Amino acid sequence: MSKKKLTINIILILFLVTISFRFLVSYLLPIFPDEAYYLYWNKFLDFGYFDHPPLVSWIGITQEISRDPLWARLGSNLIAALCFPISILLFKEVGLKKRTDLTKALLILHFSLCGLVFGFLITPDVPFLFTWLLSLHEAVVALKRDPKRWITAGIATGIGIWAKYMTLMLGPIFLWALIKKKGALRTPWPWLGACACLVTIAPHLAWNQQNSWVSFKFQMGHGLSGHHNAVSLYTPDLPTPTQKLSQTEKDYGDYFFTQIKKPSSTPKKLSNVEKTIQRTKNYLSGQAGLLGFFIFPLMWTLGATILSKIDRKKSANSQNIITSTIDPNTKPLIWAATIFPLTLFGLIALKQNVEVNWPSIYLVTGSIIIVGYLNISKKWMQIAATLNLLVIGLIVLHSWQPIFDIKPNRDRILIETHGWEQLSEKIKETKKPIFADTYQNASMLNYYQPHLNVAQLPGLTRVSELIRRKKMWTWNMKDIEQSSGFILISYNQYPPHMEGFHILNHTELRDCPHERIEITTVDFSRSFSPRCKTPVHRWFKTEYHIGSQNKKMLLLD
């Protein structure tokens, strides 16, 4: 068998393993709350939304075929599948033409924990990865031999902005590459590329301008300051929760009070410097963790390389370090696309917590640098890829049948996937208008029981698209008056006070691993003694009836 044919066969096997694994996980893994949120947007197709640009909503159009998780995630899977051939073209263009180098780079990008997850969840990161790869490929071709390709690079960047605003990082990255290439900025093509990008995003900019730049404000506040600066443009005609509780509402909440074991010692209060150090450690460990088991052969080879550099005699014979095969014309671009995201979010991490996926796009070009400069054992790379697949498989299994020894209320996988379908079953026969406190609760209930038309009640948690967009107000005061009241699904055991309404009943729906939801309605004739002591979720269903009760108001601190 020729080397060329062998290379094609290996790449084809990697591709088939990747897409098969992602489709299997898409089928088995329950929908996450944020996925349900984006899928709900799909009913209201537009050029923009409160939290993100619109592309994440558009790729969920396949849910119209079936609401099964596999069909809902089909768009994400198809886009992720397209990332594979584009990454091959990019890697070859920058100089990774040897079979072993190409295989290693593909393993790091697509079989890291980050690469595997990006392939099936409905998030903005999936189209973001696709357009980032496409933009870099076009920029590499433009730098090497065809400056006209800056136009297609600009168009691809514009499409990326429709997916995620972090695509804007390509601006300074491209600028640095152009500065390093003599005379590149004196040609018209980079400037025409910038114009092509602006034309591509013009409809989204127009939408934002018409909506007071709401998504830009939200993302700038969320990403740079940790606050949500955007506010709702409309005030729905709905019941208004207050910060005060009547004695009745306080009694209802106290009924579900359970004695919490006090910690043996008071947690140490960290200074600002200690907080900064802790955030930095979390940031660095999170980015390393995205590689999964690849981090071990990477660190081993890097350590061996450093030792070899120290010992000049060993360095001359070392097999760990190799001359870079990366094309010199593309090196500034590749290094900038790796360092810039890591540095930008590293600086932000000094001030606030950074979500692990924000700078993760560095892995696209980071995989090129790793393979281009370090001769990591192919055998250990294959073992690491297999272990990463196993980890994701265990996570999927854990979502169905908990196998990890983690407290349920701290188990991120269970919190994201467990109990929602049962909750929706418990309230599916409700005839009154239903509201939820968070967009997550509202979106998940609407995913499993679309006929309920659950809305998010303003004033309880942060604003979302469910509150901002008028068409998503599924209920109004007229509906509530006709039903003589409404239902609120909330995480708060203390039901909020609603002017003009009083509580008919207050029920806890306790979601625990390995068993059905435990339902307890307030009954002051007996004490509260739940069977399940460590729930994943504690939801509270409160039925409000029109008409006030004259109770003394208490301020809840």
Side-chain angles (χ1 to χ4, degrees):
M1 183 182 294
S2 67
K3 288 186 177 181
K4 183 176 180 181
K5 189 173 182 180
L6 180 62
T7 300
I8 293 173
N9 288 343
I10 291 173
I11 291 174
L12 183 60
I13 290 171
L14 290 179
F15 177 67
L16 292 176
V17 169
T18 303
I19 61 172
S20 299
F21 180 79
R22 287 170 176 166
F23 272 99
L24 179 62
V25 173
S26 296
Y27 174 73
L28 295 174
L29 191 67
I31 288 289
F32 283 37
D34 277 1
E35 291 184 287
Y37 183 44
Y38 302 140
L39 288 171
Y40 191 67
W41 291 2
N42 187 254
K43 296 181 178 180
F44 309 88
L45 292 178
D46 206 344
F47 289 133
Y49 299 92
F50 178 84
D51 311 65
H52 289 288
L55 211 52
V56 67
S57 171
W58 298 356
I59 64 175
I61 193 70
T62 52
Q63 72 168 325
E64 298 302 320
I65 302 172
S66 170
R67 299 189 66 81
D68 188 272
L70 177 60
W71 285 104
R73 292 172 172 146
L74 181 60
S76 288
N77 275 275
L78 293 177
I79 292 175
L82 289 174
C83 289
F84 202 93
I86 295 175
S87 62
I88 294 172
L89 295 175
L90 173 63
F91 294 159
K92 285 187 174 181
E93 284 289 348
V94 300
L96 302 183
K97 295 182 180 179
K98 292 183 179 178
R99 173 172 56 86
T100 54
D101 291 345
L102 186 58
T103 302
K104 289 177 186 178
L106 290 171
L107 283 173
I108 293 173
L109 180 57
H110 295 287
F111 286 81
S112 64
L113 293 181
C114 178
L116 289 171
V117 171
F118 274 12
F120 56 84
L121 293 181
I122 305 168
T123 72
D125 294 299
V126 177
F128 174 46
L129 172 63
F130 170 77
T131 54
W132 187 273
L133 280 164
L134 190 59
S135 300
L136 286 175
H137 175 268
E138 295 304 292
V140 165
V141 175
L143 288 168
K144 286 179 64 177
R145 60 179 179 273
D146 187 1
K148 295 179 182 179
R149 298 287 276 271
W150 282 115
I151 295 177
T152 48
I155 294 172
T157 302
I159 297 172
I161 294 171
W162 283 83
K164 199 169 186 177
Y165 293 139
M166 288 180 189
T167 309
L168 291 167
M169 291 189 293
L170 285 173
I173 290 170
F174 285 168
L175 180 61
W176 175 253
L178 286 163
I179 290 172
K180 297 297 287 185
K181 185 174 178 62
K182 188 176 180 180
L185 285 171
R186 290 197 290 269
T187 67
W189 305 112
W191 307 105
L192 289 173
C195 292
C197 178
L198 287 173
V199 171
T200 304
I201 64 173
H204 180 60
L205 291 176
W207 179 91
N208 255 292
Q209 190 275 330
Q210 294 166 6
N211 290 273
S212 301
W213 305 99
V214 63
S215 57
F216 281 122
K217 289 178 181 178
F218 173 83
Q219 285 296 332
M220 289 296 289
H222 180 50
L224 299 181
S225 66
H227 303 292
H228 305 125
N229 294 331
V231 296
S232 177
L233 303 180
Y234 313 111
T235 304
D237 179 24
L238 295 172
T240 305
T242 68
Q243 293 183 348
K244 295 181 179 181
L245 298 179
S246 71
Q247 186 60 53
T248 300
E249 290 144 2
K250 189 171 185 299
D251 289 343
Y252 274 122
D254 286 342
Y255 179 82
F256 291 111
F257 175 78
T258 53
Q259 188 66 39
I260 301 174
K261 185 179 180 181
K262 293 183 179 180
S264 56
S265 60
T266 304
K268 179 185 175 183
K269 188 174 182 180
L270 299 178
S271 66
N272 288 334
V273 173
E274 289 173 322
K275 288 179 181 178
T276 299
I277 294 173
Q278 185 63 48
R279 284 194 295 265
T280 303
K281 287 167 59 178
N282 292 341
Y283 173 73
L284 294 175
S285 61
Q287 295 316 301
L290 292 176
L291 289 164
F293 284 93
F294 287 126
I295 193 66
F296 297 109
L298 169 60
M299 295 306 296
W300 176 268
T301 307
L302 183 60
T305 299
I306 293 172
L307 291 175
S308 297
K309 294 282 281 184
I310 294 173
D311 188 337
R312 293 180 180 274
K313 290 183 180 180
K314 290 184 179 180
S315 180
N317 299 317
S318 174
Q319 297 299 312
N320 292 316
I321 188 166
I322 59 175
T323 303
S324 170
T325 58
I326 301 174
D327 189 301
N329 291 313
T330 66
K331 279 185 179 180
L333 176 68
I334 299 306
W335 278 101
T338 304
I339 294 173
F340 186 78
L342 287 172
T343 303
L344 174 64
F345 290 104
L347 293 173
I348 293 174
L350 298 176
K351 183 182 177 183
Q352 69 172 71
N353 292 321
V354 170
E355 294 183 22
V356 70
N357 66 304
W358 289 358
S360 59
I361 202 68
Y362 84 90
L363 281 176
V364 170
T365 46
S367 60
I368 297 171
I369 291 173
I370 291 171
V371 173
Y373 287 89
L374 295 174
N375 187 16
I376 304 175
S377 166
K378 183 180 177 182
K379 174 184 175 182
W380 287 109
M381 294 282 284
Q382 292 170 340
I383 292 173
T386 304
L387 291 173
N388 284 343
L389 288 169
L390 180 62
V391 167
I392 300 297
L394 289 174
I395 289 173
V396 174
L397 178 61
H398 182 70
S399 70
W400 284 89
Q401 185 68 29
I403 55 176
F404 301 128
D405 187 19
I406 306 173
K407 289 184 177 180
N409 60 347
R410 295 184 180 179
D411 190 323
R412 179 67 184 270
I413 300 301
L414 291 185
I415 289 172
E416 295 280 355
T417 61
H418 196 272
W420 302 94
E421 189 169 8
Q422 284 190 54
L423 174 66
S424 68
E425 285 288 328
K426 299 298 181 184
I427 65 172
K428 69 179 182 180
E429 302 300 332
T430 303
K431 302 301 181 184
K432 290 186 176 182
I434 302 178
F435 295 89
D437 56 343
T438 67
Y439 75 83
Q440 292 96 335
N441 279 333
S443 300
M444 289 296 272
L445 291 173
N446 283 327
Y447 174 77
Y448 285 110
Q449 299 292 340
H451 72 278
L452 291 177
N453 293 318
V454 180
Q456 183 186 359
L457 190 66
L460 295 176
T461 57
R462 81 158 176 88
V463 174
S464 74
E465 184 69 7
L466 301 183
I467 294 174
R468 189 205 69 82
R469 186 175 293 268
K470 277 186 174 181
K471 291 182 179 180
M472 292 188 182
W473 303 350
T474 50
W475 307 106
N476 54 41
M477 282 301 294
K478 184 177 180 180
D479 300 318
I480 293 171
E481 289 168 356
Q482 289 176 349
S483 300
S484 300
F486 65 95
I487 303 293
L488 175 65
I489 305 295
S490 171
Y491 280 127
N492 193 348
Q493 72 185 68
Y494 289 92
H497 176 73
M498 301 284 179
E499 292 291 345
F501 295 85
H502 68 271
I503 297 172
L504 285 182
N505 57 68
H506 186 52
T507 301
E508 184 199 60
L509 297 101
R510 180 172 287 237
D511 167 41
C512 295
H514 309 294
E515 49 187 286
R516 303 292 295 175
I517 282 182
E518 183 179 356
I519 302 175
T520 307
T521 300
V522 170
D523 181 355
F524 292 110
S525 65
R526 57 186 179 87
S527 61
F528 175 58
S529 181
R531 179 180 68 256
C532 167
K533 303 299 182 183
T534 53
V536 179
H537 296 283
R538 291 181 69 198
W539 289 293
F540 296 88
K541 174 188 172 187
T542 309
E543 184 175 359
Y544 288 89
H545 189 74
I546 291 178
S548 300
Q549 288 182 328
N550 295 320
K551 297 287 184 181
K552 182 180 178 181
M553 303 302 292
L554 300 174
L555 181 62
L556 182 64
D557 294 328

